[in-house]
Amino acid sequence: MIDLIAHNLAPIMFLALIAFLLLGYPVAFALAANGLFFFFIAVELSPYSNEISLSWPLLQTLPGRVLDVMRNDTLLAIPFFTFMGIILEKSGMAEDLLDTVGQLFGPIRGGLAYAVILVGALLAATTGVVAASVIAMGLISLPIMLRYGYDRPLATGVIAASGTLAQIIPPSLVLIVLADQLGRSVGDMYSGALIPGLILTALYCAYVLVISILQPQKVPALPLAARTLRGSAFPLLVLMVAALAIAVACYLLLLPRIENGAAIWAATIAVVLAYLFAFSDKKFSLGYLSDLAQRVVIVLVPPLALIFLVLGTIFLGVATPTEGGAMGAAGALAMAIARRRLSFGLLSEALEATTRLSCFVLFILIGSRIFSLTFYGINGHVWVEELFLGIPGGAWGFLIAVNVLVFILGCFIDFFEIAFIVVPLLAPVAAKLGIDLVWFGVILGVNLQTSFLTPPFGFALFYMRSVAPVKAYIDKVTGGKIAGIETTQIYKGAVHFIILQAIMIAVIVMFPGLSITDEGPQVDPSTIDIEILGPDLGGGGTDGGTDSGVPPPPSFD
């Protein structure tokens, strides 16, 4: 019996951890306690199994492992991006964006849903925090959608799903954690996730378009009385065409002079000129742009500038992700000051929330280091490797099994827990199967995004429930009675977007080029021929050496 336990200690330890988590123990302490408890058991059982390589002196390595976590500069990006997101959410940027984009798309069917999706993508690219996005859009957009007769499951589903875009569109916190756990740079992970994130946003919009064609009563247009910003959108279209022409001209001028990032600089110049034109038109009442066009440009450009400050500098190689996060936090403070909405209370609340989340992540990471010390000491990684390598289908079978596993786990545990517990066990297997780890990380990122929408523990659903009205209420604008929203309606609305996210996972798996960037010419190690030549002691160079007796460098054929 003891021999049986000793040889199967790894699966027993993993199942014990799952049991601890399902019983509701805090993740960080469950990891650490599980690791220490099984360390003691493994040391006592080590004489009965050659697979256990643990001894009491190994406990002395724990302080070093904890210090390694604290010295990890990559994780500094988490508090910076969290602080930036909270400051922006509290300073009213979401309200301005939703109001302006809602007015722009209001005349068309599904306009409010399009506005929520696009603003969700913008908030994702500036805040990176799901809770802030879902709660802000739920408080602002949901009452308007209910007021004008939007389908309830669709309204709640589009708000919750758009908020989860913060999980896959950079600067996402989950991408930072995945990059750290997979041993890849955050910049590479951001580059790999950008296009899939934009495609997923387009999928959401396509779904609303299909609903507006097949079931137009579910997504009515805003009535004329609700459109407070007057004027035509034609001047905005003309300004966009002019800005595009300027961007193309600047790109052609900069391309021979700038080795990297000419497109980003060209777009920046065009956007800045468009903003200055709109600001001057409003300031001096020039009359070139309508009120709607002025508002759209003036409201949209500052968050776009912040996106460039964060992501543009990272992609250009000017700043590391940590430095980009620091600049983003400073930019968020500057925007709050410019809006005259920065107060001591707001700053204190943002710092408190940032500290809480950062400590949460740090303690989970410390607990996972203690757990991994024991798990690797009992050859748990070998057990996981053999388990997944035995799946038929090779790399394809592995990807399918992993996605199903992560999807199921996402229904019950948090994405941080999956990233810190499961991903480190899967990464070596993926690498051994020849899977690009950036591509693998993006697939997991989209899959982890679904964990916010899957019942019964989808956090986005909880955030949506917290802001959705439970009971009927009297609308302040129309004076009519509006029924509350049932929890089943929220769950029903999420199902369609979970399917869209599953489709996105399949697209990324089938088209790896969406996430894998060109890293230059690849060299097959088997084709490298290294010739080690001895010195020519006689000075004659009979073996290919030089007259000085120094052999030439190795040749790579």
Side-chain angles (χ1 to χ4, degrees), residues 23 46 51 68 108 200 202 285 287 299-300 316 326-327 365 437 520 530 533:
L23 288 173
S46 57
E51 299 174 0
D68 286 342
I108 63 175
L200 184 59
S285 301
V299 169
L300 283 182
L316 287 172
M327 290 191 295
L365 191 50
L437 291 185
I530 302 177
L533 303 177

Side-chain angles (χ1 to χ4, degrees), residues 3-333:
D3 290 343
L4 181 64
I5 294 175
H7 288 293
N8 294 279
L9 200 57
I12 294 173
M13 182 179 179
F14 189 77
L15 292 175
L17 175 64
I18 299 297
F20 273 119
L21 296 177
L22 293 178
L23 288 173
Y25 286 97
V27 182
F29 302 120
L31 282 167
N34 206 48
L36 291 175
F37 177 71
F38 278 92
F39 185 94
F40 298 144
I41 294 177
V43 171
E44 295 299 325
L45 293 179
S46 57
Y48 300 95
S49 175
N50 294 328
E51 299 174 0
I52 299 175
S53 57
L54 294 176
S55 60
W56 296 116
L58 281 177
L59 281 177
Q60 299 175 16
T61 65
L62 284 180
R65 295 172 73 87
V66 172
L67 289 175
D68 286 342
V69 174
M70 299 173 68
R71 283 195 293 259
N72 191 340
D73 292 339
T74 302
L75 297 177
L76 276 175
I78 292 178
F80 285 139
F81 286 127
T82 303
F83 180 78
M84 178 182 75
I86 295 172
I87 288 291
L88 291 175
E89 187 259 328
K90 298 295 182 183
S91 63
M93 185 186 75
E95 289 92 330
D96 293 342
L97 285 172
L98 283 168
D99 180 53
T100 303
V101 180
Q103 292 290 324
L104 177 64
F105 289 98
I108 63 175
R109 292 190 181 276
L112 286 177
Y114 293 130
V116 167
I117 294 169
L118 295 178
V119 171
L122 279 174
L123 291 178
T126 50
T127 66
V129 182
V130 173
S133 300
V134 174
I135 292 174
M137 292 192 296
L139 288 172
I140 300 161
S141 298
L142 186 60
I144 302 175
M145 292 174 131
L146 297 179
R147 178 183 305 150
Y148 297 112
Y150 264 70
D151 180 67
R152 292 163 183 274
L154 176 63
T156 56
V158 77
I159 291 173
S162 300
T164 63
L165 289 172
Q167 289 299 100
I168 192 61
I169 294 180
S172 162
L173 298 184
V174 72
L175 292 178
I176 297 174
V177 174
L178 286 173
D180 178 67
Q181 296 299 306
L182 292 171
R184 291 295 180 266
S185 74
V186 178
D188 288 344
M189 197 66 73
Y190 280 178
S191 299
L194 183 60
I195 294 177
L198 296 178
I199 293 176
L200 184 59
T201 305
L203 269 179
Y204 288 174
C205 291
Y207 171 70
V208 174
L209 176 63
V210 171
I211 293 296
S212 65
I213 295 173
L214 300 180
Q215 298 175 304
Q217 72 280 3
K218 289 187 175 183
V219 285
L222 276 180
L224 185 62
R227 304 173 202 167
T228 57
L229 290 179
R230 303 300 179 186
S232 170
F234 182 74
L236 177 63
L237 181 62
V238 174
L239 183 61
M240 290 175 62
V241 173
L244 180 61
I246 293 172
V248 171
C250 290
Y251 175 73
L252 295 176
L253 288 173
L254 293 173
L255 189 59
R257 298 172 175 83
I258 298 179
E259 182 178 353
N260 185 26
I264 296 178
W265 285 115
T268 302
I269 294 171
V271 169
V272 168
L273 291 176
Y275 181 80
L276 292 176
F277 180 79
F279 184 80
S280 301
D281 187 76
K282 181 179 180 180
K283 184 74 174 178
F284 302 107
S285 301
L286 301 178
Y288 292 111
L289 299 177
S290 63
D291 291 343
L292 177 63
Q294 287 178 359
R295 179 73 180 273
V296 168
V297 175
I298 292 173
V299 169
L300 283 182
V301 168
L304 290 175
L306 189 61
I307 292 171
F308 169 76
L309 185 65
V310 177
L311 299 181
T313 53
I314 294 174
F315 293 153
L316 287 172
V318 177
T320 65
T322 301
E323 294 165 346
M327 290 191 295
L333 286 173

Side-chain angles (χ1 to χ4, degrees), residues 427-482:
V429 185
K432 194 166 184 176
L433 289 170
I435 297 172
D436 183 272
L437 291 185
V438 172
W439 177 46
F440 185 59
V442 173
I443 293 172
L444 291 180
V446 178
N447 201 327
L448 289 174
Q449 183 183 355
T450 64
S451 68
F452 278 83
L453 293 176
T454 48
F457 299 116
F459 285 96
L461 304 180
F462 291 161
Y463 302 144
M464 191 72 250
R465 177 69 281 175
S466 68
V467 297
V470 179
K471 299 179 180 179
Y473 64 97
I474 303 299
D475 184 66
K476 296 180 180 179
V477 176
T478 62
K481 186 177 182 180
I482 297 178

